[in-house]
Amino acid sequence: MIKKKAAFIYSADLEEYQYPADHPFNTHRAKRLRGALHSMGMLAGPNSIEAPPVVAEREVLEKFHSHHYLNALQTATAGHWDVEALGMGIGTSDCPVFEGLYEYSSLAAGATMVGVDLLLSGKADIAFNPSGGQHHAGPEKASGFCYINDVALACTVLAERGKRVLYLDVDVHHGDGVAYGFYDRPDVITISMHQDPRTLFPGTGFEDEIGEGAGKGYCVNIPVPVGTYDRAYMKAFEAVVLPLAGAFNPDIIVFELGTDALAGDPLANLRLTNNVYAAIINHLLKFDKPILATGGGGYNIENTVRAWALAWSVFCGEDQAHDAIHALGGVMLGSMEWLGGLRDREIAVTDFQQSLIMPALDLTIDKIKKRVFSIHGLC
Ligand SMILES: [Zn+2]
């Protein structure tokens, strides 16, 4: 296998900023990840590079966000917050104003845009910005811990360059900001796998939200039941995402890798292990197209760091544990030690749990196929 050139986008400057102490979003996850990768020698390989972010220019931010909204965000950061800003979601308990908010958001978004540049210039085949993935932000709305929607910006810029973009979002929450940002466009297909919106923020992302106009069929939502486990999740991925991605035949993939679907996440209720992310990335790599990956949610910090480290190892073709695990007959190590240590142990699933989840999931898969597949020439 020819190894891909992978770029890790990070700067210690990102550590300067923090959400309020009682807020679940922890900007230090990226720092912890960088430290783990560095200690395992996973940033020093011949095919891996580190790239620092550059603050996103205002004109780039305005490709998705309104002038009015960005002004409000900037003004609020400077200490002049008002009711109009609150109306745009700025200063809520989910999206508080904190010191350096505008600068942090612009830098985190700039990191994703550096990834776009590296892929477009051919300097990297894969770029990973763990500080990105603010998928809930709307053109004029801060929402769900997100202020500047870097992934929507990336899709916008890539589409401007004539690329057919597959946006895949495996964060446990619906990727609403991106889905609705491209709702009427056929050049960016957005696919979001998330926990049943009846049970989780933002309460959108049902099977019948499929895009409109020229974009009908190019917005795909895969809501999965509470308690969904690895095998069920992968069944939906293989039944829906793989055929659609193949039919769409993207030039480039934007992958929002929020890890809050992992078992034990304090904000959600799925039961995945990080083996799912490794499996999905292995599928994505087979398309042999550039991949821009970002972070996202993930509120169990240890699990998030391990999952992203595992993802990076798969991107770099260094996931030796994959073979080792099979050689050991499914025995996995439970520490951070290299060779197998990044992978989670399997979680046992009872017949009863299967009987609750599989029929609901099969129904969802059927609904999506009926609504969307024929638009893409699939049956
Ligand atoms: Zn999330």
Side-chain angles (χ1 to χ4, degrees):
M1 187 178 82
I2 298 170
K3 286 195 175 176
K4 308 273 187 183
K5 189 157 194 168
F8 185 77
I9 306 163
Y10 174 75
S11 159
D13 291 347
L14 287 158
E15 296 164 24
E16 303 287 320
Y17 308 101
Q18 283 185 55
Y19 286 56
D22 59 347
H23 194 282
F25 195 92
N26 186 326
T27 58
H28 281 187
R29 296 174 307 167
K31 174 189 179 181
R32 297 268 299 272
L33 172 64
R34 200 265 167 195
L37 294 180
H38 183 67
S39 71
M40 290 185 286
M42 287 166 61
L43 294 172
N47 293 304
S48 56
I49 56 171
E50 282 194 81
V54 177
V55 175
E57 300 284 344
R58 177 69 179 242
E59 64 180 75
V60 173
L61 301 181
E62 290 191 5
K63 287 178 187 289
F64 185 73
H65 294 286
S66 76
H67 187 72
H68 183 60
Y69 170 73
L70 292 168
N71 277 351
L73 199 57
Q74 207 161 15
T75 308
T77 306
H80 307 290
W81 172 81
D82 58 20
V83 174
E84 199 183 358
L86 184 62
M88 292 187 272
I90 302 166
T92 61
S93 56
D94 269 7
C95 296
V97 176
F98 58 89
E99 194 178 349
L101 161 63
Y102 186 81
E103 289 75 17
Y104 172 75
S105 302
S106 309
L107 186 58
T112 295
M113 301 317 291
V114 164
V116 169
D117 290 342
L118 288 167
L119 298 181
L120 285 174
S121 65
K123 289 180 183 153
D125 305 301
I126 290 153
F128 181 31
N129 170 26
S131 300
Q134 297 226 338
H135 62 165
H136 293 305
E140 214 159 66
K141 185 92 182 158
S143 174
F145 316 163
C146 304
Y147 304 86
I148 290 181
N149 196 324
D150 58 298
V151 269
L153 283 169
C155 292
T156 302
V157 170
L158 290 166
E160 269 179 13
R161 296 286 292 269
K163 304 294 182 191
R164 289 169 61 74
V165 182
L166 163 62
Y167 173 76
L168 175 64
D169 187 323
V170 297
D171 191 284
V172 78
H173 302 95
H174 176 220
D176 53 348
V178 188
Y180 299 138
F182 298 89
Y183 210 59
D184 58 357
R185 289 175 59 162
D187 52 345
V188 177
I189 186 169
T190 64
I191 305 180
S192 177
M193 299 184 73
H194 45 262
Q195 183 175 319
D196 185 338
R198 292 170 300 181
T199 64
L200 196 67
F201 176 90
T204 52
F206 292 92
E207 300 93 329
D208 58 358
E209 296 178 56
I210 61 166
E212 64 189 11
K216 189 176 175 187
Y218 292 83
C219 175
V220 181
N221 287 297
I222 310 171
V224 302
V226 165
T228 290
Y229 48 91
D230 288 3
R231 198 160 54 77
Y233 195 86
M234 287 311 295
K235 182 180 183 184
F237 177 86
E238 287 166 12
V240 177
V241 181
L242 279 187
L244 284 171
F248 182 74
N249 191 23
D251 299 314
I252 197 158
I253 298 168
V254 177
F255 181 41
E256 207 271 18
L257 182 50
T259 59
D260 39 10
L262 288 172
D265 190 278
L267 297 194
N269 315 93
L270 300 192
R271 299 183 70 236
L272 303 189
T273 73
N274 64 21
N275 298 289
V276 158
Y277 303 135
I280 288 175
I281 291 169
N282 276 314
H283 278 297
L284 296 182
L285 288 171
K286 286 184 193 144
F287 287 99
D288 201 22
K289 295 288 159 62
I291 300 174
L292 172 64
T294 70
Y299 306 98
N300 179 316
I301 308 301
E302 287 298 325
N303 288 350
T304 295
V305 170
R306 257 159 39 88
W308 285 345
L310 174 64
W312 177 255
S313 77
V314 180
F315 282 137
C316 295
E318 301 288 345
D319 178 33
Q320 296 135 345
H322 186 66
D323 295 331
I325 282 165
H326 288 289
L328 289 167
V331 176
M332 294 177 228
L333 306 175
S335 75
M336 285 287 282
E337 288 168 25
W338 184 231
L339 257 194
L342 293 174
R343 283 183 176 257
D344 290 337
R345 295 168 194 273
E346 279 181 45
I347 296 176
V349 180
T350 65
D351 289 347
F352 179 65
Q353 287 168 321
Q354 285 190 47
S355 73
L356 288 177
I357 287 163
M358 277 301 188
L361 196 65
D362 286 339
L363 206 60
T364 290
I365 292 170
D366 276 353
K367 279 186 193 169
I368 298 166
K369 282 184 164 181
K370 281 200 183 87
R371 286 172 171 83
V372 171
F373 269 32
S374 62
I375 295 169
H376 297 273
L378 300 164
C379 51

